[in-house]
Amino acid sequence: MTSGTRFLLAARQCEIAELEQLARTSALVGVIGRFVHALQRERGMANIFLSSRGARFASQRTQQVADGAAAEAEVRAAFDGLDTEDAHARNGSRLFSRVALVLHALDGLPRLRERIAAQALRAGEATAAYDKLVAALLAVVFEAADAATDPEISRALVALFNFMQGKEFAGQERAFGARAFAAGTIDAAGQEHWRHLVAAQEGCLQVFTDFSDAEVLQAERAAQDPEALAQLERLRRLGFGTRGALDAELSDAWYAQCTRRIDGMRALEDLLAARLRGLCERRIAQARTELRDQRTMLEAFAAQARAADPATLAAYGPHLERSVLALVQEQARRLQAMGDELDEVRASLNERKVVERAKGLLMAHRHLSEEDAYKALRQMAMNQNRRIVDVAQAVLSLAEVLPGG
Amino acid sequence: MTSGTRFLLAARQCEIAELEQLARTSALVGVIGRFVHALQRERGMANIFLSSRGARFASQRTQQVADGAAAEAEVRAAFDGLDTEDAHARNGSRLFSRVALVLHALDGLPRLRERIAAQALRAGEATAAYDKLVAALLAVVFEAADAATDPEISRALVALFNFMQGKEFAGQERAFGARAFAAGTIDAAGQEHWRHLVAAQEGCLQVFTDFSDAEVLQAERAAQDPEALAQLERLRRLGFGTRGALDAELSDAWYAQCTRRIDGMRALEDLLAARLRGLCERRIAQARTELRDQRTMLEAFAAQARAADPATLAAYGPHLERSVLALVQEQARRLQAMGDELDEVRASLNERKVVERAKGLLMAHRHLSEEDAYKALRQMAMNQNRRIVDVAQAVLSLAEVLPGG
């Protein structure tokens, strides 16, 4: 085997190793989805419990905490199963660093639950703590999507990440609405925040739609009950459509309606995660078959070259050489095409990064909260009739030229 | 040690492994630079030799072929030294696939040289063959730059890659000009091609300048002899400034002038490669020190926690926990900032990819040569007063919406 063909096969083996790592992180994503779902329920219940001064959802909350323990154990086990000894894990530094953040946030969870049970903190504070933990878990999913080198898998991960993030905004809306209804009142800032949560959901679900195939989109439509959606919109109208007093009795109905929708999303999320695992397995099997075929072909070429007498070799040698060259060129072309497609898929991840960076800049320099920074970007985008990512890019460019910016 | 801190240290170890791999590919880049330089000289001499029907540069060319053998052996040894068994090599599939292409191109080199010696092909054909081999070698450098995860190293690799690519355009100009002078005539298409080679050089060197620090730029200025540059410009004017017959006697002067400039570039390239290696070493040493400090700190925390009596622990425990959390958060922030910076540096690589993709599209659909596809893009950019990358992006977007595009 010439050294050229050694590199040809090594390239294919690297591809397989990358796919195997993607399969492992994809499995992790599924486990994270289950735990996030439990935390989202727990957050919603904690909100009603605290807003109603312990009058509602006391036992359901305790039960939910107990139910979430299995999912937490699964996540911890999945993290423990990550090979931290493999210093060559793709994107390992960022992934492991995100995992460390999650584990530290998890260590604070028992204390948070104690304080909620003792009603020692406000509903908004409890929400913020859960939001942070869920954000840390979703950041692990984002790193997994960011590390994907196969365009088809990257596409599936981008769709799944945006779906999970959209579901999280739906969960935040559930908690916020439940708190507002239970409190029986809402002010202008609260209404604005509620609207923001709806818009953010819709933005994420739009990206999910853009990156999903017909089968997934059909499953999504099938999972939606139009009547339930109409109910939700009616409650939204009663919740933030008009200012002032809210009907506290609607708190349970709101929680139940949102929960029906979010549980439906959870089922679809499971489907997406299962399809992702299936996709990884198919791509690995395919790459292995191709590696085997390639190796067989190269060995046949080599055997022919060895067996041939000088005259035959003179005639066939260039032919064999051209066959190997065709293989090498075909592989380079395929990787190039995959890289091009990957760049396109990743554009949506990069857009998210640009927005995050602009948010960070506004937070640091204008002393805004994360949410207010996002709102400022959204407002600028609306005023200028531009996309948020374009406004974010403009903010970053401006910062580069402004002194001390 | 908690599992959170295990991931903290594992993240740092991944960073070190990534830096070590970068150091290895950076060393490879230096070796490739030497061999490309030898091939560039050989190409220039082959052009004069063939254009003068063997009258000029016969012995110099034979000598240059012999001189290039050491550099080729170095490249082959460096490739052999790549760990193809490590299927987790970052970007391994693309890098190894590029190496396979180079090795196959190298296998054709002896036959190319025989045909040149026998004057069995035209100067243009010989040039095209050398151009292809050099392009394959530079593609390896591009993959190395594309795989860099450290923004500072990525910046240095982007600068070096563009400098090498700019030097290659200078080498192509030397060969083309030498052929034109030696032939004693140039037509409109030849003049246009010559202008294109000058513009392409300047574009690459502009990116190099944008990505270089003051020290490198000073070294670049010091390496340039203003008088030699003026000479070069005068010869360019005589070469493609006016149509028609060229003074064949200027062929040697042209070759010598270009060679002086390109040899100066080669010296600077060596400096850049040495600085890159130094940078990798410093970053590795720094990351190792930080890992050791972090480990010491975490062990001290753990020892304090074990040694403390329950009362002290109750008082210090949360403090220790906060210290660890601060470490974890600091690391996540640092990686985030590095990722942001990396995205910015990589924008220039992505621009190159967009242009390459648009070129490929034009080649496939309008049946243009690579050079003509690039010229078409450049012409559109000039007509529309836009950057080439923006025109390339527009071409790609258009292709998506056109039927059968």
Side-chain angles (χ1 to χ4, degrees):
Chain A
M1 205 169 288
T2 72
S3 61
T5 59
R6 173 165 77 96
F7 280 98
L8 186 68
L9 297 175
R12 184 71 80 167
Q13 255 145 355
C14 283
E15 249 188 280
I16 294 175
E18 283 171 6
L19 287 168
E20 283 169 345
Q21 201 193 321
L22 269 178
R24 282 191 297 272
T25 38
S26 294
L28 181 64
V29 168
V31 174
I32 287 178
R34 267 195 291 285
F35 184 42
V36 164
H37 188 64
L39 287 173
Q40 285 165 341
R41 292 178 74 100
E42 191 178 321
R43 174 178 56 193
M45 291 173 181
N47 263 286
I48 304 182
F49 175 75
L50 290 171
S51 298
S52 66
R53 292 158 200 253
R56 295 165 186 267
F57 274 80
S59 64
Q60 288 100 316
R61 200 192 65 80
T62 316
Q63 183 58 46
Q64 180 58 44
V65 167
D67 290 351
E72 181 181 340
E74 262 189 327
V75 166
R76 283 185 183 272
F79 285 164
D80 281 340
L82 287 177
D83 186 4
T84 47
E85 295 303 307
D86 176 14
H88 291 99
R90 190 171 172 94
N91 212 12
S93 54
R94 294 173 64 102
L95 183 67
F96 292 158
S97 164
R98 295 287 181 200
V99 169
L101 271 176
V102 168
L103 287 170
H104 270 278
L106 276 184
D107 289 344
L109 192 53
R111 175 98 185 102
L112 174 66
R113 286 166 173 164
E114 276 169 34
R115 297 184 68 207
I116 292 170
Q119 298 183 47
L121 77 180
R122 281 175 310 189
E125 293 167 325
T127 301
Y130 283 107
D131 289 358
K132 260 197 173 165
L133 178 52
V134 172
L137 283 158
L138 290 181
V140 174
V141 179
F142 183 81
E143 291 305 335
D146 207 30
T149 44
D150 180 277
E152 209 184 340
I153 296 176
S154 175
R155 183 175 289 273
L157 273 165
V158 168
L160 179 51
F161 170 74
N162 277 281
F163 190 79
M164 290 173 86
Q165 182 68 63
K167 176 170 175 283
E168 164 58 6
F169 283 125
Q172 289 182 16
E173 188 198 3
R174 172 173 62 182
F176 186 80
R179 176 170 15 139
F181 277 118
T185 177
I186 188 163
D187 59 8
Q191 290 179 312
E192 173 59 24
H193 180 61
W194 201 330
R195 266 188 214 105
H196 155 66
L197 290 175
V198 174
Q201 257 171 84
E202 287 170 353
C204 287
L205 295 179
Q206 186 57 52
V207 178
F208 156 73
T209 304
D210 294 345
F211 281 84
S212 295
D213 59 24
E215 200 180 312
V216 165
L217 293 178
Q218 201 184 346
E220 193 217 3
R221 273 191 300 275
Q224 283 172 2
D225 174 2
E227 208 173 312
L229 277 184
Q231 278 287 340
L232 186 71
E233 289 295 359
R234 195 182 68 89
L235 288 168
R236 276 178 180 164
R237 180 168 52 76
L238 294 173
F240 66 81
T242 48
R243 197 164 308 179
L246 299 184
D247 181 356
E249 289 305 313
L250 289 178
S251 168
D252 287 10
W254 166 259
Y255 186 83
Q257 207 60 259
C258 287
T259 298
R260 199 166 308 148
R261 172 159 175 259
I262 293 172
D263 286 352
M265 292 177 89
R266 170 71 201 125
L268 188 66
E269 191 182 280
D270 252 345
L271 175 77
L272 293 176
R275 279 172 57 101
L276 177 63
R277 282 193 302 275
L279 177 59
C280 288
E281 281 162 23
R282 271 200 311 284
R283 295 280 297 108
I284 291 172
Q286 185 191 345
R288 284 210 182 112
T289 306
E290 284 165 4
L291 173 63
R292 204 178 47 229
D293 292 352
Q294 229 172 41
R295 189 175 277 143
T296 309
M297 211 183 299
L298 290 170
E299 277 162 7
F301 290 161
Q304 274 180 287
R306 273 194 308 275
D309 61 279
T312 316
L313 195 60
Y316 276 96
H319 173 71
L320 290 181
E321 195 50 40
R322 267 199 302 279
S323 307
V324 175
L325 181 60
L327 272 186
V328 175
Q329 283 177 332
E330 161 55 25
Q331 175 142 316
R333 251 198 307 274
R334 194 175 53 79
L335 288 172
Q336 184 70 49
M338 273 173 60
D340 291 350
E341 204 188 326
L342 191 64
D343 287 342
E344 280 171 38
V345 176
R346 291 173 53 86
S348 96
L349 296 176
N350 289 335
E351 286 189 1
R352 186 185 133 95
K353 288 183 193 168
V354 167
V355 172
E356 289 297 312
R357 215 145 73 203
K359 254 172 42 184
L361 200 86
L362 292 175
M363 287 161 71
H365 292 273
R366 295 219 209 138
H367 307 288
L368 295 180
S369 71
E370 184 165 359
E371 188 187 322
D372 286 340
Y374 184 74
K375 277 186 199 156
L377 287 176
R378 202 157 47 92
Q379 196 57 51
M380 280 188 264
M382 274 164 58
N383 293 349
Q384 302 173 25
N385 197 20
R386 293 163 73 190
R387 295 187 317 148
I388 285 193
V389 60
D390 295 331
V391 170
Q393 191 63 65
V395 166
L396 292 175
S397 317
L398 207 62
E400 277 170 23
V401 295
L402 289 180
Chain B
M1 204 169 291
T2 71
S3 60
T5 59
R6 173 165 76 96
F7 281 98
L8 186 68
L9 298 176
R12 184 71 80 169
Q13 256 145 355
C14 283
E15 250 187 279
I16 294 175
E18 283 170 7
L19 287 169
E20 284 169 343
Q21 201 193 322
L22 270 177
R24 281 191 297 272
T25 37
S26 294
L28 180 65
V29 168
V31 175
I32 287 177
R34 265 195 292 285
F35 184 41
V36 164
H37 188 65
L39 288 172
Q40 286 165 341
R41 292 178 74 100
E42 192 179 321
R43 174 178 57 192
M45 291 172 180
N47 262 286
I48 304 182
F49 175 75
L50 290 171
S51 298
S52 66
R53 292 159 199 250
R56 295 165 185 267
F57 275 81
S59 64
Q60 289 100 316
R61 200 192 65 79
T62 315
Q63 184 58 46
Q64 180 58 43
V65 168
D67 289 350
E72 180 181 342
E74 263 189 326
V75 166
R76 284 184 182 272
F79 285 164
D80 281 339
L82 287 176
D83 186 4
T84 48
E85 294 303 307
D86 177 14
H88 291 98
R90 189 170 173 95
N91 212 13
S93 54
R94 295 173 63 102
L95 183 67
F96 291 159
S97 163
R98 296 286 181 200
V99 168
L101 272 175
V102 169
L103 287 170
H104 269 279
L106 276 183
D107 288 344
L109 193 53
R111 174 98 185 103
L112 174 67
R113 286 168 172 162
E114 276 170 33
R115 295 185 68 206
I116 292 171
Q119 298 183 48
L121 79 179
R122 280 175 311 187
E125 292 168 326
T127 301
Y130 282 107
D131 290 358
K132 261 197 174 164
L133 177 53
V134 171
L137 283 158
L138 290 180
V140 174
V141 179
F142 183 83
E143 291 304 336
D146 207 31
T149 46
D150 180 276
E152 210 183 339
I153 296 176
S154 175
R155 183 176 288 274
L157 272 165
V158 168
L160 179 51
F161 170 74
N162 277 280
F163 190 78
M164 290 172 86
Q165 182 68 63
K167 175 170 175 282
E168 164 59 5
F169 284 123
Q172 289 182 15
E173 189 198 2
R174 171 173 61 183
F176 186 82
R179 178 173 11 143
F181 277 118
T185 177
I186 188 163
D187 59 8
Q191 290 179 313
E192 173 59 26
H193 180 62
W194 200 330
R195 267 188 213 103
H196 154 66
L197 290 175
V198 174
Q201 257 170 84
E202 287 170 351
C204 286
L205 295 178
Q206 186 56 52
V207 178
F208 156 72
T209 303
D210 293 346
F211 280 84
S212 294
D213 60 24
E215 200 180 312
V216 165
L217 293 178
Q218 202 184 344
E220 194 216 2
R221 274 190 301 275
Q224 284 171 2
D225 174 1
E227 207 173 315
L229 277 182
Q231 277 289 340
L232 185 70
E233 290 294 358
R234 194 182 69 90
L235 287 168
R236 275 178 180 163
R237 179 167 53 75
L238 294 174
F240 65 82
T242 47
R243 197 163 308 178
L246 299 184
D247 181 355
E249 289 306 314
L250 288 178
S251 169
D252 287 9
W254 166 259
Y255 186 83
Q257 208 61 259
C258 287
T259 298
R260 197 165 309 149
R261 173 160 176 257
I262 292 173
D263 287 352
M265 292 177 90
R266 172 69 202 127
L268 188 66
E269 192 182 280
D270 252 345
L271 175 76
L272 293 175
R275 279 172 56 102
L276 177 62
R277 282 193 302 275
L279 177 59
C280 289
E281 279 162 24
R282 273 201 310 284
R283 295 280 299 110
I284 291 172
Q286 185 190 347
R288 284 210 181 111
T289 306
E290 284 165 6
L291 172 63
R292 204 179 47 229
D293 292 351
Q294 231 174 39
R295 190 175 276 145
T296 309
M297 211 183 300
L298 290 170
E299 276 162 6
F301 289 160
Q304 274 180 287
R306 273 195 306 275
D309 60 276
T312 317
L313 194 59
Y316 277 95
H319 173 71
L320 289 180
E321 195 51 40
R322 270 199 300 280
S323 307
V324 174
L325 182 60
L327 274 186
V328 175
Q329 284 176 333
E330 162 54 24
Q331 175 142 318
R333 251 196 308 275
R334 195 175 51 79
L335 288 171
Q336 183 71 50
M338 273 173 59
D340 291 350
E341 205 187 325
L342 191 63
D343 288 342
E344 280 170 38
V345 175
R346 292 173 52 85
S348 95
L349 296 177
N350 289 335
E351 287 190 0
R352 186 184 134 96
K353 288 184 194 167
V354 167
V355 173
E356 289 297 312
R357 214 146 73 205
K359 255 173 39 186
L361 200 86
L362 292 176
M363 286 161 72
H365 293 273
R366 296 219 209 139
H367 307 287
L368 296 180
S369 71
E370 184 165 359
E371 188 187 324
D372 287 340
Y374 184 75
K375 276 186 200 159
L377 286 175
R378 201 158 48 92
Q379 196 57 52
M380 280 188 264
M382 274 165 59
N383 293 348
Q384 302 172 25
N385 199 18
R386 293 162 74 190
R387 295 188 314 149
I388 285 193
V389 60
D390 296 330
V391 170
Q393 191 63 64
V395 166
L396 293 175
S397 317
L398 207 61
E400 277 168 25
V401 295
L402 288 181

